[in-house]
Amino acid sequence: MRKMFALAKLVATYLHAGLLPKMPGTWGSIFALPLAWVLYQLGQPIYWIGLLIVTLLGIWASGIYSQRVGKEDPDEVVIDEVAGILTVFLFVKPTPVNLILGLILFRVIDILKPPPVDRLEKLPHGVGIMLDDIAAGILAGLILLAVEKVLNWG
């Protein structure tokens, strides 16, 4: 049981990035950017598989971790930010400009939690922890895609 929790903590905190002082969600998002770039280079099927694996592991790990520490959505759990960042780049190519803009848009949406994002975080355990950030990633990705189309830079 102790080993299971240690593994869940490692995954939930994205290799302990969520344990860094101040702004754990931002740290998790920043450290997710290289993963998004690498997965994108490997092709769309691998990208989707990577996102699916992160999401399923995240649901499992964040559920175990949050129950063990007795908090609904502990700040140090950042695997949800990883899934959210990966979701952003389903819509746009992770160019240097898009990586920065995607990070900013995602964090703003994740922090403000506009509807329907706010409703998803109320789902139980790891599902709610993960799905609100995936929804924030969808919104950020769609906004960034729209900006690309309007400005014709993509």
Side-chain angles (χ1 to χ4, degrees):
M1 192 67 161
R2 184 177 286 162
K3 287 182 181 178
M4 178 88 71
F5 177 73
L7 180 60
K9 181 178 180 181
L10 189 65
V11 171
T13 62
Y14 192 50
L15 307 174
H16 298 290
L19 300 176
L20 290 170
K22 299 185 182 183
M23 309 178 320
T26 300
W27 287 119
S29 299
I30 290 168
F31 289 130
L33 294 174
L35 177 62
W37 188 84
V38 167
L39 287 174
Y40 191 88
Q41 302 312 309
L42 296 173
Q44 193 171 14
I46 299 297
Y47 197 95
W48 278 95
I49 291 167
L51 175 57
L52 179 63
I53 290 169
V54 166
T55 301
L56 293 176
L57 281 175
I59 290 170
W60 169 79
S62 62
I64 287 175
Y65 185 85
S66 65
Q67 286 181 326
R68 177 79 177 267
V69 300
K71 295 180 183 175
E72 285 185 31
D73 191 355
D75 290 342
E76 64 272 22
V77 171
V78 296
I79 192 67
D80 51 335
E81 274 80 12
V82 175
I85 285 290
L86 292 178
T87 302
V88 171
F89 299 106
L90 291 173
F91 299 90
V92 295
K93 183 177 179 181
T95 64
V97 170
N98 283 347
L99 286 169
I100 293 166
L101 293 177
L103 172 68
I104 293 167
L105 275 170
F106 170 72
R107 288 303 296 145
V108 167
I109 294 168
D110 186 34
I111 291 165
L112 295 178
K113 298 210 185 303
V117 176
D118 62 335
R119 291 184 195 102
L120 293 172
E121 74 176 339
K122 292 173 178 48
L123 294 170
H125 309 299
V127 174
I129 290 171
M130 295 298 293
L131 287 186
D132 72 308
D133 285 62
I134 290 171
I138 291 169
L139 286 175
L142 288 172
I143 291 168
L144 194 49
L145 178 63
V147 169
E148 271 193 357
K149 297 298 181 192
V150 168
L151 298 178
N152 197 26
W153 87 50

